[in-house]
Amino acid sequence: MSISSLLSIGSRAMAASYAQLTVTGNNIANANTVGYSRQNVELQTSFSQQTGSGFFGKGVDVATVTRAHSDFLTREAAMTSSIAAGDHARSTQLAQMENVFQTGEAGLGYSAQQMFNAFVDVANKPQDSSARQVALARVGDLADRFSSASGQLDSLQAGVTDQLRTSVASINSLTTQIADLNRQIANVQGTGHAPNGLLDQRDQAISDLSQFVQVTTVAAADGTVGVFLGGSQKLVLGGDATPLAAVPDAYDPSKLQLGITEGGVTRAFPDGFIAGGSVSGLLRFQNHDLADARGLLGQLASAITGQLNSQQALGLDLGTPASAGAPLLSIGAPTVLPSSNNAMAGGVPVASYVNGSGVRVSSVSITTVDSKSLQPSDYELNADPSLPAGQYKLTRLSDGTTSTVANGSVVDGFRIAVAAPAPASGDRFLLEPVSNSTRNMARALDDPKGIAAASPVAATTNAANTGTATVASLAAVSPSINPNLTATVTFTDNLGNYSYSLVDTTGALPTVNGTGSFVAGQPIALNGFALQLNGVPRQADSLVVARTAFPASDNGNANALLGLRDAAIVGQQVGGGGAVVPGMSVTDAYASALGTIGVRVQSGKAAADQSASIASDAKSAVSEKAGVNLDEEAARLIQYQQSYQAAAKMLQVAQSLFTSLLQIGS
């Protein structure tokens, strides 16, 4: 062994200690750098030298610099963070939507109650213009509330659309960055050393991408990673990135979906394809929560408007002469939107969408036939090729219920009409019976005299009656009522059985006779009117229902309008076998809507809190594995400083020995 060996060992030791000091200093400098992984110097013993006295070590070599990293923990952190971002985005939107469904005096339910209650004064004083003016004002207030709520939902949709566009731009920027890092990493893969800084940057870019969409990664032999969306759609493969696109919804261009353009064709991803990230939360809110909220508001507005206008039309106003009441409210009409996916087939316009002038038309339309039975949902009509010609598959989107319909079918209170040209196989339509009802909802009547407070018929009891029966209320309940028919009802016994005759005072129709049985609490229904009695009639008692002689002082229809306040006019359903499931009153329906929205808001918040906690734990696990602990680094700094000083002392000793040898030789 020579003194040069000692010098070599000392210099190697100094180089190793210096490398450790450098890396430790770098760790300390990047302690607060996002995405930085703690680095370590990997040392290995130099090859030993064989001598006659045995093997002598030649010191230490710096093998490489590694980073503290766990693929499993990194993937878990990215996935949980992605889910948390999606839940947070949806919860934030739901909290804003909750403001549309106000409680108390600011709520739609209160405004509806105030409107119906205004007809109390109209019923008490049918000729009072101030009472009529107040009723019209309340009708206008309700319309304004609904229109304002619709505007708020439109604003939420516009906000979601803007966020989706911004998110797509950010996603494309990140995938381009990942592809560029892949190329850089692949270029240095042959050196045998890991480019720790580039790997950290790529992991951070993937983590940032996961905030928008949940992705999966697959490592390649050349050091690159493939990034996939939904488990199958490539976003990054090697050094190439596939950009996403903000695709207008197939039915409604005001909505956006995420899609991709390949081979010159842009296609949208199916609903639910994106499982995590803020984009998934926004899409879930747009496609489900916001659509359901529109349905709830639209159902309520359609039911109130339909029943109010129908009852108004059955009464008589204060005109000279008195005429049937004009509509009190106007709402958006039911709409049908064709799917743009099928607007072209092989580059040729589909006949069911484009007319001879090149203008898109729809061969499907819908009309409301019973506002009480409308449901808070949109529907998809599909010309399913597996069905016979003239039959179509109808799906209620709120719950997935499917049925087979044809031209003229009535479903959930609306009628479907299919005109020529018939939809081609595979064509799809979005039916919106109530979703657009609240848009531009307004009061349709401005003249207080136009309120139809009077019933077209009035009832009088025979002065010679011996029973206690009196007229509680009388109102027209069907457009089929004929005020020219005079109904005479005579009770034939003390059990409530009666006979009646309907006589046309104009002589246009023959006399109609019949019998019936009166049950306390139930109306006598004849000729399109409903007559409620108080008390008990006795044998030979009679009453007459005839055309109203003095409409100005009659309040029969005003009472009927007031009665809508507590009537079950919202959400009636026809069950199996034709059984009718009663709906709810306006107040109960709005309370139910509040409950539905409230449950979604609370469940959304709970999901966001839970996923945020899980993501935080996963992030902490990564930090424990790869994060920089300044106390530990400070301790290492002292350790490596001492190692460096010891190596320097070794060199000093070797130099001293070498000097001594030179002195001996001289």
Side-chain angles (χ1 to χ4, degrees):
M1 293 293 294
S2 63
I3 295 177
S4 62
S5 297
L6 187 60
L7 287 171
S8 176
I9 291 173
S11 62
R12 288 174 182 269
M14 283 189 67
S17 297
Y18 182 79
Q20 290 174 317
L21 285 170
T22 301
V23 171
T24 301
N26 189 53
N27 287 340
I28 294 173
N30 288 281
N32 297 316
T33 300
V34 177
Y36 178 80
S37 299
R38 185 181 70 255
Q39 296 182 4
N40 296 300
V41 177
E42 299 295 330
L43 303 178
Q44 63 183 19
T45 302
S46 295
F47 184 75
S48 299
Q49 181 180 2
Q50 182 180 4
T51 69
S53 302
F55 288 88
F56 286 85
K58 297 179 65 177
V60 65
D61 291 326
V62 176
T64 190
V65 178
T66 61
R67 59 178 185 144
H69 176 73
S70 168
D71 286 337
F72 173 76
L73 292 179
T74 300
R75 285 195 302 268
E76 283 294 301
M79 182 184 70
T80 56
S81 176
S82 183
I83 295 173
D87 289 339
H88 175 73
R90 176 173 178 254
S91 178
T92 300
Q93 296 296 325
L94 283 171
Q96 295 181 49
M97 189 176 75
E98 188 180 27
N99 295 328
V100 178
F101 294 83
Q102 296 286 334
T103 59
E105 294 185 4
L108 289 167
Y110 177 83
S111 184
Q113 283 290 95
Q114 289 293 95
M115 181 200 68
F116 286 121
N117 289 339
F119 288 103
V120 172
D121 292 336
V122 176
N124 290 336
K125 299 178 181 179
Q127 293 177 301
D128 188 351
S129 61
S130 62
R132 289 169 169 266
Q133 188 64 58
V134 169
L136 283 184
R138 295 290 179 266
V139 171
D141 289 343
L142 179 64
D144 290 343
R145 290 280 183 92
F146 270 110
S147 182
S148 175
S150 178
Q152 289 177 269
L153 294 183
D154 288 342
S155 295
L156 286 175
Q157 176 61 66
V160 169
T161 299
D162 288 342
Q163 289 186 60
L164 287 174
R165 292 188 187 280
T166 302
S167 297
V168 168
S170 298
I171 290 169
N172 291 338
S173 175
L174 287 168
T175 54
T176 300
Q177 180 183 350
I178 294 170
D180 182 59
L181 289 168
N182 269 346
R183 288 193 293 270
Q184 296 182 55
I185 292 169
N187 289 338
V188 298
Q189 185 70 10
T191 63
H193 300 283
N196 297 319
L198 294 176
L199 294 175
D200 281 345
Q201 291 179 46
R202 188 175 66 185
D203 286 345
Q204 184 60 41
I206 294 173
S207 177
D208 291 342
L209 179 63
S210 297
Q211 293 295 307
F212 296 101
V213 289
Q214 183 175 324
V215 296
T216 55
T217 57
V218 178
D222 61 355
T224 64
V225 293
V227 181
F228 298 88
L229 181 65
S232 58
Q233 176 59 57
K234 65 181 178 66
L235 291 181
V236 179
L237 197 59
D240 297 323
T242 303
L244 294 183
V247 183
D249 185 81
Y251 294 113
D252 187 354
S254 68
K255 299 179 181 179
L256 288 182
Q257 306 295 341
L258 245 66
I260 200 163
T261 301
E262 291 180 313
V265 177
T266 300
R267 57 181 177 85
F269 298 131
D271 188 24
F273 181 78
I274 300 174
S278 61
V279 167
S280 73
L282 293 173
L283 290 175
R284 183 180 176 187
F285 173 78
Q286 171 190 260
N287 297 340
H288 299 281
D289 300 314
L290 194 55
D292 291 346
R294 286 192 188 280
L296 290 170
L297 282 180
Q299 180 195 39
L300 195 60
S302 297
I304 293 174
T305 301
Q307 295 302 303
L308 198 67
N309 287 348
S310 295
Q311 192 61 54
Q312 164 80 352
L314 294 176
L316 298 176
D317 60 18
L318 281 181
T320 305
S323 59
L328 290 169
L329 284 168
S330 64
I331 57 174
T335 55
V336 176
L337 300 175
S339 169
S340 61
N341 289 342
N342 290 338
M344 301 288 285
V348 180
V350 176
S352 58
Y353 292 111
V354 182
N355 63 19
S357 301
V359 179
R360 286 179 55 150
V361 294
S362 171
S363 59
V364 177
S365 61
I366 56 175
T367 53
T368 300
V369 295
D370 182 10
S371 61
K372 296 193 302 296
S373 300
L374 294 171
Q375 300 302 310
S377 179
D378 293 338
Y379 301 75
E380 184 178 72
L381 185 72
N382 183 9
D384 193 328
S386 65
L387 295 176
Q391 295 188 5
Y392 309 95
K393 179 182 177 182
L394 183 70
T395 303
R396 186 163 61 192
L397 298 181
S398 61
D399 57 10
T401 301
T402 61
S403 59
T404 301
V405 298
N407 179 36
S409 295
V410 175
V411 180
D412 292 345
F414 64 92
R415 177 178 287 108
I416 300 171
V418 181
S425 177
D427 284 355
R428 298 183 300 142
F429 298 85
L430 182 68
L431 313 185
E432 299 177 323
V434 299
S435 293
N436 296 304
S437 297
T438 54
R439 283 198 174 105
N440 302 318
M441 184 174 178
R443 188 182 70 191
L445 182 66
D446 295 325
D447 186 358
K449 292 182 179 181
I451 294 180
S455 172
V457 292
T460 56
T461 57
N462 192 330
N465 288 348
T466 59
T468 60
T470 59
V471 176
S473 66
L474 173 64
V477 294
S478 171
S480 64
I481 187 171
N482 184 352
N484 292 321
L485 293 180
T486 298
T488 301
V489 179
T490 302
F491 292 91
T492 56
D493 56 32
N494 293 331
L495 300 177
N497 293 311
Y498 62 83
S499 63
Y500 70 86
S501 65
L502 294 173
V503 180
D504 192 329
T505 57
T506 67
L509 297 174
T511 300
V512 178
N513 296 302
T515 60
S517 180
F518 168 70
V519 178
Q522 296 184 8
I524 295 175
L526 295 171
N527 184 32
F529 64 77
L531 173 65
Q532 290 278 8
L533 297 179
N534 285 332
V536 180
R538 296 187 63 82
Q539 184 176 2
D541 286 356
S542 64
L543 55 88
V544 176
V545 178
R547 177 186 287 274
T548 300
F550 304 102
S553 59
D554 189 271
N555 67 353
N557 206 51
N559 284 324
L561 290 169
L562 175 60
L564 295 175
R565 176 187 60 188
D566 303 315
I569 63 173
V570 185
Q572 174 180 289
Q573 297 186 57
V574 178
V580 176
V581 180
M584 297 176 286
S585 67
V586 172
T587 301
D588 291 343
Y590 186 66
S592 176
L594 285 177
T596 299
I597 298 301
V599 168
R600 292 199 181 198
V601 171
Q602 293 304 314
S603 63
K605 184 177 184 302
D609 291 343
Q610 183 180 23
S611 57
S613 176
I614 295 174
S616 178
D617 291 342
K619 184 177 180 180
S620 296
V622 172
S623 180
E624 289 177 5
K625 173 68 177 178
V628 175
N629 186 312
L630 290 176
D631 291 336
E632 292 181 2
E633 297 303 319
R636 290 192 180 97
L637 197 63
I638 295 173
Q639 174 188 350
Y640 300 148
Q641 179 188 12
Q642 292 174 344
S643 297
Y644 187 89
Q645 291 173 342
K649 188 66 175 178
M650 188 188 308
L651 288 176
Q652 183 180 3
V653 170
Q655 183 181 10
S656 177
L657 291 174
F658 184 71
T659 302
S660 297
L661 287 175
L662 290 177
Q663 291 175 350
I664 292 173
S666 60

